[in-house]
Amino acid sequence: MFPSLAHRPWHVFCRVSLQHRAPLSQRSPRIPQLCYGWQSGGMHSSWFSLPDCRVASLGLGKVQYYSTSGNSKDGPPKPPSANAPSAEKVLSAAVKATPASPVRAVLKKREYGAKYTQNNFITAVRAMNEFCLKPSDLEQLRRIRRRSPHDDTEAFTVFLRSDVEAKAIDVWGSQEALARERNLRKEVEREYEENIFRNQQLLKEYKSFWGNTKPRSRERATFLQGPGKVVMVAICINGLNFFFKLLAWVYTGSASMFSEAIHSLADTCNQALLALGISQSVRNPDAGHPYGFSNMRYIASLISGVGIFMMGAGLSWYHGIMGLLHPEPIQSLLWAYCILAGSLVSEGATLLVAINEIKKSARLSDVSFYEYVMQSRDPSTNVVLLEDAAAVLGVILAASCMGLTSLTGNPHYDSLGSLGVGTLLGAVSAFLIYTNTEALLGRSIQAERVQKLTEFLENDPAVRAIHDVKATDIGLSKVRFKAEVDFDGRVVTRSYLEKQDIDQILTDIQQVKTPEELENFMLKHGENIIDTLGAEVDRLEKELKQRNPEVRHVDLEIL
């Protein structure tokens, strides 16, 4: 392996990366390695090294030599010349030349257990409910003003959970006593829920006693304008039409007149159901229904569509089929024609009222008349529109079939008119069921409106990108908007610094000398920056609602 050294009995190879021609100060500060090798018979040269120069100073006082031949006369090699540096000197110089690695200051990792959550905040309502306290018990506790999550208030008061727990122990004496009081109150609450109907009746009587008539006046005003007015007009007219058509059917026995009477009865019942849905939809949100009751109009319209199909179309088909199977002679149709003419005028008037209301609402929503009807923006007015349109067409169809029966004397034409009215009602009911079901499922708004809302957020300097946008129509042209927002941390931080005293912050930075002081400085300003980020979210939500009144609920999640 080393032919030039094959005949030497002793050889020690020390690879210290020596450069004899260069001074020691110019040598590379590489870590020295001691390498010993020997050769004997089938043994090949082997190498081992000290990986760190600091280890070399542990025991270099004596260097042993190993013989690779069996001759005991072999001795150690001749000492090196005086000019050549020894291994000890080289290693010590290398240790001194190696720069010391800097020590990094690392903060101790902190374990956040259950004790740390005692610093959480709790509202006064939760403190009284969860810890069985009174308002007077909270008066002596520390109060902290925090940013309010509600639009109508800028800040609200919270308490430290640890203070509340300590006060609860002070009031009740022990954790066991507090637990017993909680269980007792849960039993009382359970009894209250079991008698909820009685309590609601008492609450209504209490409001009536104190003259709380605001909900009633609001409900009354609902039926004096808009969809409520259209529905009330339709109920009155269809009720009168049913009464007169029923008299005409009793007098003439016409199948078409019977279908028209059933049609008017179905319209009256369905519109009464719509009035109930409108009155329920204006109720204020409560704890059980935080988004309100606006979908009650869609539910009432859906049930109305099913009622038209079962009661209107079903009975009309049945009576028409029975007239074809068992035809009967028809009496004088003069009174029937007069009543149909009156129904045509009244149903046409109701239809015009519904058309005018939809045109007005479509103009306010900046959509066409067709889009407003197809999207079921106002289900109550849509039902009145379609029912009255079907009523006008049904009157014309019934009068035509009755006229053919009068001219030919064949009662089959009258039965065919009943089947035609039933088919018309079936088509109307199918359309109402489909549109209201789509609305109740939570359909998305138009892509143009979604793009408008997204562009508004993306044009804000604090927003870098918008992801996972969901804009859902929750009923009555109200929109719920949700999006994942990637905020620009630099803009948020700059917004925070604009409200601070920069000279004071610089003074605080200069006073930081230890890792603990640095940690306290960062924790103080870090929490304030998080509050600033929350304020930015509130600002965007508020501006989004102001610029787009149809957006009632905004949920911006920080990405």
Side-chain angles (χ1 to χ4, degrees), residues 302 374 376 428-441 443:
L302 178 62
M374 295 301 295
S376 189
V428 170
S429 65
F431 177 79
L432 292 176
I433 291 173
Y434 171 75
T435 55
N436 288 284
T437 301
E438 286 290 313
L440 289 173
L441 288 176
R443 62 190 173 189

Side-chain angles (χ1 to χ4, degrees), residues 69 105 160 184 192 275 299 341 343 362 377 399 455 458 472 479 504 507 517 524 539-540:
S69 64
L160 283 177
L184 180 60
Y192 172 79
I299 295 174
S343 297
R377 294 292 187 93
E455 289 178 353
E458 289 179 339
T472 309
V479 176
Q504 181 63 38
T507 303
E517 294 178 351
K524 171 186 174 182
R539 177 184 63 83
L540 289 176

Side-chain angles (χ1 to χ4, degrees), residues 237-500:
I237 292 179
N238 285 318
L240 292 175
N241 288 339
F242 166 71
F243 178 74
F244 288 112
K245 287 178 182 180
L246 184 64
L247 292 179
W249 170 70
V250 172
Y251 179 74
T252 62
S254 170
S256 297
M257 186 55 64
F258 174 81
S259 297
E260 279 300 307
I262 294 299
H263 185 182
S264 297
L265 176 61
D267 288 349
T268 304
C269 295
N270 290 328
Q271 286 153 7
L273 183 62
L274 292 177
L276 177 63
I278 291 175
S279 65
Q280 294 294 315
S281 65
V282 298
R283 293 170 56 189
N284 294 323
D286 55 22
H289 305 84
Y291 290 105
F293 298 85
S294 59
N295 281 337
M296 280 299 300
R297 297 195 185 189
Y298 292 100
I299 295 174
S301 300
L302 178 62
I303 299 175
S304 177
V306 175
I308 292 173
F309 183 82
M310 300 295 295
M311 189 174 177
L315 288 178
S316 297
W317 284 333
Y318 172 78
H319 204 73
I321 293 173
M322 294 302 294
L324 291 175
L325 297 178
H326 307 286
E328 296 180 359
I330 299 178
Q331 304 297 327
S332 175
L333 299 177
L334 178 60
W335 284 104
Y337 290 138
C338 294
I339 292 175
L340 285 178
S343 297
L344 181 63
V345 174
S346 60
E347 297 284 3
T350 309
L351 180 61
L352 289 178
V353 172
I355 289 175
N356 291 332
E357 179 63 28
I358 290 180
K359 284 184 176 179
K360 179 181 178 181
S361 300
R363 195 181 306 112
L364 294 176
S365 301
D366 196 20
V367 295
S368 64
F369 181 89
Y370 176 78
E371 291 177 346
Y372 192 90
V373 174
M374 295 301 295
Q375 295 171 6
S376 189
R377 294 292 187 93
D378 186 358
S380 303
T381 309
N382 272 5
V383 171
V384 175
L385 172 71
L386 296 175
E387 285 183 346
D388 289 339
V392 170
L393 295 177
V395 167
I396 297 174
L397 181 61
S400 302
C401 292
M402 289 169 59
L404 290 175
T405 300
S406 299
L407 293 175
T408 62
N410 186 358
H412 287 164
Y413 290 107
D414 186 59
S415 299
L416 291 176
S418 179
L419 292 176
V421 172
T423 302
L424 186 62
L425 293 176
V428 170
S429 65
F431 177 79
L432 292 176
I433 291 173
Y434 171 75
T435 55
N436 288 284
T437 301
E438 286 290 313
L440 289 173
L441 288 176
R443 62 190 173 189
S444 177
I445 63 176
Q446 295 86 352
E448 295 80 8
R449 298 173 64 190
V450 176
Q451 183 66 23
K452 178 183 176 182
L453 298 175
T454 304
E455 289 178 353
F456 168 76
L457 292 177
E458 289 179 339
N459 291 333
D460 193 275
V463 177
R464 282 180 173 175
I466 302 294
H467 305 280
D468 193 23
V469 177
K470 292 183 177 66
T472 309
D473 190 349
I474 61 176
L476 303 182
S477 300
K478 297 178 181 178
V479 176
R480 181 181 179 184
F481 183 83
K482 177 262 178 186
E484 301 278 351
V485 183
D486 185 3
F487 283 92
D488 190 339
R490 297 169 298 179
V491 175
V492 175
T493 305
R494 189 174 293 110
S495 176
Y496 166 70
L497 292 177
E498 289 174 354
K499 303 174 184 178
Q500 306 299 317

Side-chain angles (χ1 to χ4, degrees), residues 532-551:
T532 304
L533 178 59
E536 289 292 323
V537 174
D538 293 342
R539 177 184 63 83
L540 289 176
E541 293 179 350
K542 185 177 181 180
E543 292 181 359
L544 193 65
K545 291 179 182 180
Q546 290 177 347
R547 293 175 178 266
N548 304 273
E550 71 277 8
V551 179

Side-chain angles (χ1 to χ4, degrees), residues 24 29 32 53-54 57 88-100:
L24 186 60
C53 62
R54 289 171 292 183
S57 61
E88 292 83 348
K89 294 181 180 180
V90 173
L91 289 177
S92 61
V95 170
K96 295 180 180 179
T98 303

